Amino acid sequence: MKSNLYNMQQLKSFFVSLMLVASLPALAQYTEVINSNRPGVSKAAFSVGTNVLQFELGGFTIKEEHNPLNYEVSGFGVDFAARFGLLWEQLEINIEGVYQNDTFTSNTSAIPFEDKRSNFRNFTIGAKYLVYDPYKNAEEDKPNLYSYHANRRFKWKSLIPAVAVYVGANFDTKDNPFTAPDVEGFSPKIMVATQNNFAGGWVFVMNFLKDRIGSDFSDFQYILTLTHSFSDQWVLFGEAQGIQSDFYADNIFRVGGAYLWTKDFQLDANIAFNTKDTPSVFNIAFGASYRLDWHKDKKIDNGGAVKDKVDTSKNKKKKKRKKKTDFDSDNL
């Protein structure tokens, strides 16, 4: 009971910290096409944009073999996320989770023992905030219309990444076969995400996170993801994920790609594997991302008032009509 109260107090302090960070000046970039965290498991620094509701869903196979302990696991899983841009361009709230259904087979005796398992590997509600955006003055770096090579040339300032912070709350049920023995109820999760956008369609994302804080088996993870878009629709990626805790430790690698079907719909696929046998891991995953886009860009006029671009364009049309009427009346 005391540990649960302690975890709740920690979680409360994390959300208070997030609200303080929200007062820092920054400007996120809303993208004309969907901005998905898929494929892979890392999180981009940028949010989906205000008034954008985005769904990301995937299914994957599970194949694990542990040679020293002589067991194997086979089954399937589903990972999902719902993301929404709220209040500020920099802020995003999200719900995400991974559900797994598998069969654990122990071969330590003459007759194999099978145990059918199903539960959430994780279920988390959280918020991400962009605290620093080096691309907010991107209009200053307009493309060179006379030089193809100048536009693809490496720029040293591209080494400065965008930075976001994330805080969330895990919810784990009792006697979950996929979590450590003492993990139950709510526990905090924190993360720092960075993103570099390089010339030529290269993007590098890094995540550093501490999960299930307060438990005896809290883990630290890093995720490094490199993506390359070689056309307006096709993207390839490679990813390395390191997990370190007393309950489970691993280094997992993923490779795959994504296809932009429309500006609001994306398909993806990847394979995941590791290089050890305690246990060995090989998964195949397919997924999709879709967004409902109600975003409206904001514009600041000379008086400092914030207006929608749609309203501004209507005002311009009215002014043109008025000028035309005045001109006609003068010639009468």
Side-chain angles (χ1 to χ4, degrees):
M1 184 66 180
K2 289 183 179 179
S3 61
N4 288 337
L5 290 174
Y6 174 73
N7 290 338
M8 292 303 294
Q9 289 175 350
Q10 279 191 320
L11 183 62
K12 182 179 178 180
S13 65
F14 287 138
F15 280 105
V16 170
S17 299
L18 179 66
M19 292 299 102
L20 293 175
V21 170
S23 63
L24 297 176
L27 180 61
Q29 289 181 332
Y30 162 79
T31 54
E32 293 299 329
V33 298
I34 189 170
N35 172 23
S36 177
N37 286 327
R38 302 187 61 90
V41 298
S42 64
K43 293 179 177 57
F46 294 98
S47 70
V48 293
T50 53
N51 299 320
V52 172
L53 177 60
Q54 186 162 306
F55 301 98
E56 301 174 6
L57 179 67
F60 56 91
T61 63
I62 299 166
K63 184 64 177 178
E64 299 179 8
E65 294 183 1
H66 199 299
N67 288 337
L69 298 182
N70 200 17
Y71 75 77
E72 60 184 40
V73 177
S74 62
F76 68 92
V78 176
D79 60 278
F80 59 89
R83 306 166 59 192
F84 184 68
L86 182 68
L87 298 178
W88 306 285
E89 286 285 345
Q90 304 92 337
L91 180 63
E92 171 188 307
I93 58 174
N94 49 64
I95 300 174
E96 58 185 4
V98 177
Y99 177 82
Q100 183 167 322
N101 186 305
D102 64 31
T103 300
F104 176 93
T105 304
S106 176
N107 299 307
T108 55
S109 59
I111 300 176
F113 168 76
E114 291 188 351
D115 180 20
K116 295 187 179 299
R117 311 179 302 177
S118 62
N119 210 318
F120 286 95
R121 293 189 69 94
N122 63 274
F123 184 84
T124 312
I125 300 175
K128 182 179 67 177
Y129 189 85
L130 182 70
V131 295
Y132 178 70
D133 179 9
Y135 312 107
K136 62 182 178 181
N137 296 320
E139 293 183 359
E140 297 176 0
D141 297 326
K142 294 182 179 179
N144 189 328
L145 301 179
Y146 304 99
S147 176
Y148 169 82
H149 295 287
N151 293 329
R152 301 179 69 87
R153 186 173 56 199
F154 177 79
K155 298 179 181 179
W156 285 103
K157 69 177 183 178
S158 64
L159 294 175
I160 303 174
V163 180
V165 294
Y166 170 92
V167 293
N170 297 297
F171 178 73
D172 296 295
T173 58
K174 187 177 181 179
D175 299 325
N176 188 331
F178 305 119
T179 60
D182 76 322
V183 174
E184 179 184 344
F186 288 97
S187 61
K189 175 181 178 179
I190 60 174
M191 180 187 67
V192 174
T194 69
Q195 179 173 334
N196 295 87
N197 296 341
F198 298 110
W202 294 91
V203 177
F204 183 52
V205 172
M206 295 191 295
N207 290 176
F208 302 95
L209 61 100
K210 186 71 173 173
D211 203 1
R212 295 186 171 95
I213 298 171
S215 70
D216 293 336
F217 296 94
S218 175
D219 65 69
F220 170 79
Q221 298 185 36
Y222 71 84
I223 308 171
L224 311 177
T225 306
L226 181 64
T227 64
H228 177 55
S229 57
F230 56 93
S231 74
D232 291 338
Q233 292 179 296
W234 287 99
V235 173
L236 293 179
F237 92 105
E239 183 174 87
Q241 179 184 15
I243 306 170
Q244 183 62 50
S245 77
D246 293 336
F247 178 69
Y248 180 72
D250 209 340
N251 290 287
I252 300 174
F253 303 93
R254 297 179 183 86
V255 292
Y259 177 75
L260 185 67
W261 191 281
T262 70
K263 69 181 185 68
D264 297 320
F265 182 56
Q266 171 188 294
L267 297 173
D268 63 80
N270 72 83
I271 60 172
F273 57 92
N274 65 355
T275 57
K276 67 174 189 174
D277 61 358
T278 56
S280 63
V281 173
F282 184 80
N283 301 334
I284 301 174
F286 298 92
S289 304
Y290 180 75
R291 72 175 181 178
L292 299 172
D293 186 1
W294 302 293
H295 178 85
K296 287 186 179 180
D297 288 335
K298 300 295 183 179
K299 184 176 180 179
I300 300 178
D301 63 11
N302 292 332
V306 178
K307 298 181 179 180
D308 290 339
K309 282 187 176 179
V310 176
D311 295 337
T312 305
S313 61
K314 288 180 180 179
N315 291 336
K316 287 182 179 179
K317 289 180 180 179
K318 289 180 180 179
K319 289 180 181 178
K320 287 182 179 179
R321 292 196 195 100
K322 184 177 181 181
K323 288 181 179 179
K324 186 176 181 181
T325 305
D326 293 342
F327 176 80
D328 294 338
S329 63
D330 291 339
N331 287 316
L332 290 177

